[in-house]
Amino acid sequence: MKKFFISILVALCTVFTVNAQSNSSFSAYKFVRFIQYLSSSYVDTINVTRLVDDAIVDILGQLDPHSVYISKEDVQAMNEPLEGKFEGIGIEFNILNDTLMVVNPISGGPSERVGIMAGDRIIEVDGKPIASIGLKIPDVHKLLRGPKGTRVDLKIVRKGVKEPLDFTIIRDKIPIYSVDTYYMPEPGVGYVKINRFSATTEDEFVQALDELEKKRMKDLIIDLRNNGGGYLNSAYEIASYLFDPGKLIVYTEGRNSPRTDYFSHKRKRKPFKGRVLIMTDEGSASASEILSGAVQDWDRGIIVGRRTFGKGLVQNQLPLPDGSMIRLTVAKYYTPSGRAIQRPYKKGDAKEYYSDLEKRYKDGELFNQDSIHFPDSLKYYTLVKKKVVYGGGGIMPDVFVPLDTSFYSNYYGKLVRSGVINQFAIQWVDANRKSLLKKYTKFKKFEKNFNVDDSILNELFDFAESKKISRDEEGIKTSSNELKIQLKGLFAQSLFGPGYYYQVTNSSNETFRKCLEILKNWDKYKHLVQ
């Protein structure tokens, strides 16, 4: 028990980062003594660990919306996407009709190496049946993930094969990609979709640039929509491929954190010199705003889309003795012009903070740029063209593109929220995979010649009815074109790989189409850049 309380004291002193003479240190000691009294004298048995956890959560809840407590169990799951890898067998999976189904083996992973295929059903793991037992996603992770070099035996049912197949897989490091896709939508135009800024983003981005320049890319579209951020370092490293060395990209500063400047610097290849467009929306946050803000402040490129989230707080991850940690805000970040992108918040009111997107929707901001108002006190100027930009609430795009809701219906919403569209797409491709791949050996052929017709849509609606979602003719009329595009994208993803979803759906996306229009009519927009 004594060791336990010493551990608590060390953790609290780490959090408060104070010397032994300060008021905060005395408060930490006071808290430890309080827990001691509870443990030794309270009338009923109490869970001390739970009390301490709850106290930490409550304290952090009185601060800013981004300072949080992360339990020991959640630490690894939280870090995996940012570290860019985990250890396991390497499959994308779905649980369909209470059966574990392989959506795709991850390229180069151990499952692909032994011949696991999309559409395979895993019915046994290490001799234990797993079909029809109410399997959940955390259960799958426990069964299939594990240290590199360890063995797992699978029994698989494959379409067209009478008997179950046995596979032995040796677990390995599995990459988690932060670049969803890159391709050339038009001659000379490259497109890169980044979903987060992780430890591997720089390498992935460099690979994308190299491959696209081999295809004679002259202009670059970087898609940061719904990119919630990640590592600050990763964002300014990516910026170094858009700027010559020595440009200020971002700086951070806090009460106990002196100003730290981050400059573009020499990296693995020369900076890209062509025209740059960055796509943003209300889901673009943190590191996405660092990159967008630097590009805008230096008039290096054009930001296209909608105002970003507005997260300009820097968190440090501080470990606690039991393997849990706190993510504590220690500074704010500022764009090169001096803008703080963090939007206002009330301490201890995270609910109001995270309801801001709903407020933007109700206020009409997502549909009309004129609905957005900033006070003159937040006015700044870009560093080359001296354009007016604003701080204190995300990055305002140079070219606004309203949110398209013309296809939305309550029926469409039900299909999305229930997961029916994804489930149907996986099931439909599984039933037709052989004939589809025979007819469409390459994605380009599929993209050009395959269309989701009304008969496939009706199969979707019948499938939805089997899941207790009643058919809605008015909703179908409103949403059918969007559903056809999404289904085609999901079919392409199942057949050819994850990135092909965007190659299908981008063609009808208003923000993406606006980017292409800007490049085609450059004289109209070139005043926005240096």
Side-chain angles (χ1 to χ4, degrees):
M1 181 61 73
K2 184 177 180 181
K3 288 182 180 179
F4 172 76
F5 288 120
I6 291 173
S7 296
I8 294 176
L9 183 56
V10 170
L12 286 168
C13 289
T14 301
V15 172
F16 289 112
T17 57
V18 293
N19 61 52
Q21 303 300 316
S22 72
N23 289 333
S24 296
S25 181
F26 178 78
S27 296
Y29 171 73
K30 179 179 176 180
F31 180 75
V32 172
R33 178 56 61 89
F34 166 69
I35 294 293
Q36 286 177 324
Y37 288 149
L38 284 181
S39 182
S40 62
S41 304
Y42 186 65
V43 63
D44 294 322
T45 301
I46 58 174
N47 186 329
V48 174
T49 302
R50 177 67 180 272
L51 282 175
V52 172
D53 286 355
D54 288 348
I56 294 172
V57 169
D58 189 61
I59 291 168
L60 293 173
Q62 302 305 311
L63 306 178
D64 66 277
H66 298 292
S67 291
V68 294
Y69 170 73
I70 304 160
S71 69
K72 177 182 178 181
E73 293 74 22
D74 292 336
V75 166
Q76 183 178 358
M78 177 203 68
N79 283 335
E80 278 174 357
L82 295 179
E83 291 172 354
K85 62 182 181 298
F86 64 94
E87 294 180 353
I89 69 168
I91 60 168
E92 296 170 21
F93 66 88
N94 207 314
I95 299 171
L96 199 61
N97 300 325
D98 211 10
T99 302
L100 179 58
M101 177 178 170
V102 178
V103 175
N104 271 306
I106 293 174
S107 178
S111 288
E112 184 188 58
R113 291 198 292 267
V114 301
I116 300 294
M117 297 172 62
D120 285 348
R121 269 84 167 164
I122 302 175
I123 59 171
E124 286 186 13
V125 177
D126 288 332
K128 296 178 181 178
I130 63 167
S132 303
I133 63 168
L135 203 65
K136 304 295 182 188
I137 289 175
D139 302 323
V140 178
H141 289 166
K142 288 178 182 177
L143 288 166
L144 300 183
R145 292 187 179 186
K148 176 182 176 179
T150 57
R151 162 181 168 159
V152 60
D153 296 317
L154 305 182
K155 190 177 289 292
I156 282 174
V157 171
R158 178 171 293 169
K159 227 176 218 335
V161 179
K162 290 183 179 180
E163 298 296 325
L165 303 171
D166 292 314
F167 289 88
T168 295
I169 302 175
I170 306 301
R171 295 182 178 96
D172 203 345
K173 291 187 182 297
I174 311 299
I176 302 175
Y177 296 107
S178 59
V179 172
D180 283 326
T181 190
Y182 57 90
Y183 70 104
M184 301 277 285
E186 290 188 356
V189 180
Y191 168 90
V192 181
K193 168 71 172 171
I194 305 176
N195 63 52
R196 69 177 72 84
F197 288 92
S198 72
T200 62
T201 303
E202 181 184 4
D203 290 338
E204 295 176 56
F205 187 70
V206 168
Q207 179 183 348
L209 289 183
D210 288 345
E211 293 295 324
L212 291 170
E213 288 193 335
K214 285 178 185 177
K215 298 177 181 179
R216 300 184 179 179
M217 173 182 67
K218 296 179 180 178
D219 305 312
L220 175 62
I221 300 171
I222 302 175
D223 190 346
L224 299 182
R225 291 174 298 171
N226 288 311
N227 181 323
Y231 290 145
L232 180 149
N233 284 12
S234 180
Y236 90 85
E237 283 167 359
I238 296 302
S240 292
Y241 294 98
L242 304 178
F243 295 93
D244 288 328
K247 291 284 189 182
L248 178 65
I249 302 302
V250 64
Y251 66 91
T252 63
E253 194 169 19
R255 182 172 63 90
N256 290 310
S257 300
R259 173 168 168 162
T260 303
D261 292 339
Y262 295 83
F263 294 93
S264 58
H265 50 290
K266 190 174 181 181
R267 301 304 295 164
K268 299 177 181 179
R269 48 156 286 156
K270 292 180 180 179
F272 174 72
K273 295 293 188 178
R275 297 180 292 187
V276 174
L277 278 67
I278 295 184
M279 301 166 65
T280 65
D281 65 7
E282 53 283 350
S284 309
S286 191
S288 293
E289 295 170 297
I290 290 173
L291 181 57
S292 302
V295 166
Q296 189 176 58
D297 278 6
W298 286 111
D299 300 288
R300 172 65 181 91
I302 297 175
I303 312 301
V304 184
R306 293 183 295 281
R307 181 162 67 103
T308 60
F309 184 86
K311 180 186 180 296
L313 301 177
V314 181
Q315 282 79 44
N316 277 357
Q317 292 185 174
L318 304 172
L320 296 174
D322 64 348
S324 62
M325 65 172 54
I326 61 171
R327 185 181 281 170
L328 191 68
T329 297
V330 296
K332 293 181 179 180
Y333 72 72
Y334 300 83
T335 70
S337 66
R339 288 186 286 168
I341 298 306
Q342 178 62 46
R343 55 188 167 87
Y345 60 87
K346 294 179 182 177
K347 289 186 177 181
D349 196 350
K351 184 177 180 181
E352 179 183 333
Y353 179 78
Y354 284 109
S355 66
D356 180 71
L357 297 185
E358 182 182 347
K359 183 177 183 295
R360 293 190 200 187
Y361 184 91
K362 289 179 179 178
D363 290 347
E365 176 188 324
L366 302 182
F367 310 102
N368 191 333
Q369 187 172 7
D370 293 338
S371 300
I372 308 167
H373 303 285
F374 287 104
D376 285 345
S377 60
L378 296 176
K379 185 185 292 186
Y380 292 81
Y381 296 91
T382 60
L383 300 171
V384 178
K385 302 285 286 187
K386 305 303 178 184
K387 293 182 306 189
V388 173
V389 288
Y390 290 92
I395 300 290
M396 275 293 299
D398 300 300
V399 178
F400 179 80
V401 180
L403 179 67
D404 180 16
T405 58
S406 60
F407 61 84
Y408 189 85
S409 65
N410 287 333
Y411 181 62
Y412 174 83
K414 289 177 183 177
L415 295 178
V416 172
R417 290 191 299 272
S418 65
V420 158
I421 300 174
N422 281 16
Q423 292 173 36
F424 171 77
I426 292 168
Q427 196 163 289
W428 193 89
V429 170
D430 187 49
N432 297 277
R433 186 182 301 275
K434 190 174 181 180
S435 61
L436 286 167
L437 289 175
K438 185 177 180 181
K439 189 173 183 179
Y440 306 106
T441 52
K442 300 289 184 181
F443 168 73
K444 287 296 182 185
K445 191 174 182 180
F446 173 87
E447 182 184 32
K448 183 178 180 180
N449 299 310
F450 178 85
N451 289 300
V452 174
D453 57 26
D454 289 339
S455 66
I456 296 175
L457 271 192
N458 282 320
E459 288 184 54
L460 168 65
F461 303 145
D462 290 342
F463 181 76
E465 284 194 286
S466 74
K467 302 294 183 181
K468 310 300 183 187
I469 299 176
S470 300
R471 194 180 181 102
D472 177 351
E473 294 300 335
E474 192 62 34
I476 289 170
K477 183 179 178 181
T478 301
S479 305
S480 58
N481 286 339
E482 179 66 18
L483 287 168
K484 286 179 179 180
I485 293 165
Q486 283 196 23
L487 284 176
K488 184 175 179 179
L490 290 169
F491 293 168
Q493 176 175 289
S494 290
L495 291 168
F496 303 104
Y500 291 97
Y501 174 83
Y502 296 101
Q503 296 198 35
V504 170
T505 57
N506 273 346
S507 60
S508 64
N509 180 268
E510 291 299 324
T511 306
F512 178 78
R513 289 165 66 173
K514 189 66 178 180
C515 287
L516 296 181
E517 184 218 307
I518 290 169
L519 292 171
K520 288 176 182 175
N521 299 280
W522 189 249
D523 285 346
K524 182 180 175 182
Y525 296 95
K526 65 182 182 181
H527 67 281
L528 296 172
V529 292
Q530 56 178 309

